[in-house]
Amino acid sequence: MMLPKDPAENLAALIRCPSVTPAEGGALTALEAMLKPLGFTVERPVFSEDGTPDIENLYARLSGNGPHLMFAGHTDVVPVGDEAAWKHPPFSATVDNGEMYGRGAVDMKGGIACFVAALARHIETHGKPKGSISLLITGDEEGPAINGTTKLLDWAAGKGEKWDASIVGEPTNPDALGDMIKIGRRGSLSGTITVNGRQGHAAYPHLADNPVRGLMTLVDALLVPDFDEGTKDFQPTNLEVTTIDVGNPATNVIPAKASASFNIRFNDTWGAETIQAEIHNRLDVACGRKKYRKGRKEPIEFELTWRDGPSHVFLTRDEKLIETLSGSVEAVTGRKPGLSTSGGTSDARFIKDHCPVVEFGLVGKTMHMVDERVAVADLETLTDIYGRFIQDWFERG
Ligand SMILES: [Zn+2]
């Protein structure tokens, strides 16, 4: 039987499936066809929720005696953007000058293609691993992420699945394969402040209360001072004001209302609750400030609303997992990867509630861009790294 040992072939098969979120696009079927000959049991649960599209996901398991390793990822891709701007059609998997073009080449069909190839080579050479391997693949990472990884984890855990470690195949390397393993992520939280003032004539400010002055006072308090200076494992917490809205078309009218939204990326100095408390405290203290509101006796009247749930900060401390992966990267590339917690959130934030998780994949430079592409040589190298990792991780028991 033909085993899916060639990562470039695997990737080409996946790229040719136009699986733009929420469409399955044939990608999970293609993946299932690769996993079945390797002995995997494959299930494809569909999850739904009101107001979001149904999403098909995949959970594949190869059972053995020993620890359980999970590889996690997604087959959905972001839209292609201006298709005419691509050098080669985005779902063609054309190889040009040693690079394979296609949406999802690096984010992250490439990671999946390499992991599958590594497994196929391992199984052909050594037989089944000394333990269990599962692939937890969602079709909803680039979308609302509601019918994806969280539900898939709960669904599998509900059937008694337990994992000892997980590796996520997202593109983690900024410039070259071997740069960076991610061992944690900062938390993320968004909110909106609305200041209620009193509308009036710009020439008669004493009869009105300009909410823009109040909003500036509150925004100022969010931006200064810094939240922290960073920690051993994390960069400093940063708060970005993402929009300020007044919507007032007139220059001679003091508006009635003004609002500002912000997003905060916080490190392990904070938990979601303590960073929220800090923000509430800053705003409460700032309420009475007169810097922009001279002569005002009443405090600024405002509302703060938090958006959705926060993403929690996490740091993986599983030395065996980190050292094994780091050692595999170094053995294959000759480079010692940095252990980083930078960047945005990923599905690892859900997995960390079930088992220790690290992330390592391709070079991310072209992700989400026109002409997303991957060096075919990198596919071979990543396959070698994953292969070595599978070997060593199970060896260490
Ligand atoms: Zn991704």
Side-chain angles (χ1 to χ4, degrees):
M1 189 173 307
M2 280 289 292
L3 295 184
K5 289 182 296 184
D6 182 349
E9 257 177 44
N10 295 351
L11 178 56
L14 292 172
I15 286 177
R16 288 182 188 129
C17 304
S19 51
V20 177
T21 331
E24 183 270 332
L28 296 178
T29 300
L31 179 57
E32 180 170 359
M34 295 173 207
L35 293 172
K36 280 272 175 71
L38 296 174
F40 277 82
T41 311
V42 181
E43 292 177 88
R44 289 167 60 177
V46 175
F47 300 126
S48 349
E49 189 154 319
D50 283 353
T52 59
D54 289 0
I55 300 281
E56 187 167 5
N57 299 274
L58 180 147
Y59 186 71
R61 187 192 222 280
L62 182 64
S63 301
N65 279 327
H68 188 176
L69 176 69
M70 177 219 295
F71 175 86
H74 61 92
T75 49
D76 62 322
V77 295
V78 296
V80 300
D82 179 8
E83 187 158 353
W86 284 68
K87 188 172 178 195
H88 301 288
F91 299 111
S92 67
T94 305
V95 176
D96 179 353
N97 200 19
E99 292 179 307
M100 185 179 289
Y101 284 68
R103 178 56 84 224
V106 295
D107 184 11
M108 59 156 279
K109 289 175 171 176
I112 295 173
C114 293
F115 192 80
V116 170
L119 271 175
R121 291 176 189 182
H122 181 95
I123 289 167
E124 190 181 60
T125 317
H126 307 282
K128 286 211 294 189
K130 299 181 190 120
S132 299
I133 292 197
S134 54
L135 278 85
L136 188 131
I137 308 294
T138 174
D140 190 23
E141 200 272 344
E142 305 285 11
I146 287 171
N147 293 315
T149 297
T150 10
K151 285 190 178 171
L152 192 52
L153 284 163
D154 290 345
W155 171 88
K159 304 198 320 164
E161 288 292 85
K162 285 191 177 65
W163 305 274
D164 296 291
S166 170
I167 176 167
V168 177
E170 289 281 4
T172 51
N173 297 285
D175 291 306
L177 212 52
D179 285 341
M180 190 181 283
I181 294 174
K182 297 214 174 177
I183 58 164
R185 295 280 185 149
R186 289 186 296 169
S188 173
L189 193 62
S190 298
T192 299
I193 311 169
T194 304
V195 174
N196 296 305
R198 195 162 67 248
Q199 187 174 324
H201 197 300
Y204 301 88
H206 55 290
L207 298 176
D209 180 10
N210 191 340
V212 176
R213 290 173 178 270
L215 189 66
M216 283 171 66
T217 305
L218 299 184
V219 165
D220 188 66
L222 291 184
L223 295 175
V224 181
D226 292 338
F227 287 86
D228 54 65
E229 287 168 354
T231 67
K232 184 169 81 57
D233 299 297
F234 287 88
Q235 67 196 93
T237 295
N238 72 292
L239 181 146
E240 296 303 323
V241 175
T242 49
T243 183
I244 292 184
D245 300 290
V246 181
N248 177 17
T251 55
N252 58 352
V253 174
I254 291 171
K257 212 180 247 224
S259 66
S261 296
F262 61 89
N263 175 253
I264 182 159
R265 300 292 167 132
F266 56 96
N267 64 32
D268 59 348
T269 307
W270 310 92
E273 298 75 24
T274 57
I275 195 79
Q276 282 180 319
E278 167 70 13
I279 286 170
H280 276 288
N281 185 49
R282 284 182 178 216
L283 296 176
D284 289 342
V285 170
C287 263
R289 288 191 189 140
K290 300 282 185 278
K291 186 174 169 190
Y292 304 116
R293 305 175 75 240
K294 292 191 184 62
R296 287 271 156 214
K297 287 199 201 70
E298 70 282 17
I300 300 163
E301 200 191 299
F302 75 97
E303 285 155 32
L304 169 60
T305 50
W306 297 104
R307 300 240 193 124
D308 310 328
S311 295
H312 295 276
V313 57
F314 75 94
L315 180 67
T316 297
R317 297 186 195 275
D318 181 330
E319 295 305 325
K320 172 192 161 186
L321 176 61
I322 295 169
E323 277 170 23
T324 306
L325 181 56
S326 177
S328 307
V329 173
E330 198 175 353
V332 174
T333 65
R335 309 175 60 219
K336 203 175 171 60
L339 305 179
S340 170
T341 57
S342 62
T345 59
S346 78
D347 275 358
R349 73 188 192 272
F350 304 125
I351 298 168
K352 67 110 171 45
D353 295 333
H354 295 265
C355 64
V357 55
V358 291
E359 300 171 66
F360 185 77
L362 291 162
V363 176
K365 262 186 204 164
T366 60
M367 58 185 169
H368 296 205
M369 291 169 70
V370 160
D371 286 340
E372 180 174 349
R373 61 196 183 277
V374 61
V376 175
D378 276 3
L379 295 174
E380 275 302 324
T381 307
L382 183 60
T383 300
D384 287 348
I385 293 169
Y386 282 157
R388 184 135 194 155
F389 173 74
I390 292 166
Q391 169 93 3
D392 291 352
W393 191 82
F394 283 104
E395 203 92 307
R396 291 180 69 167

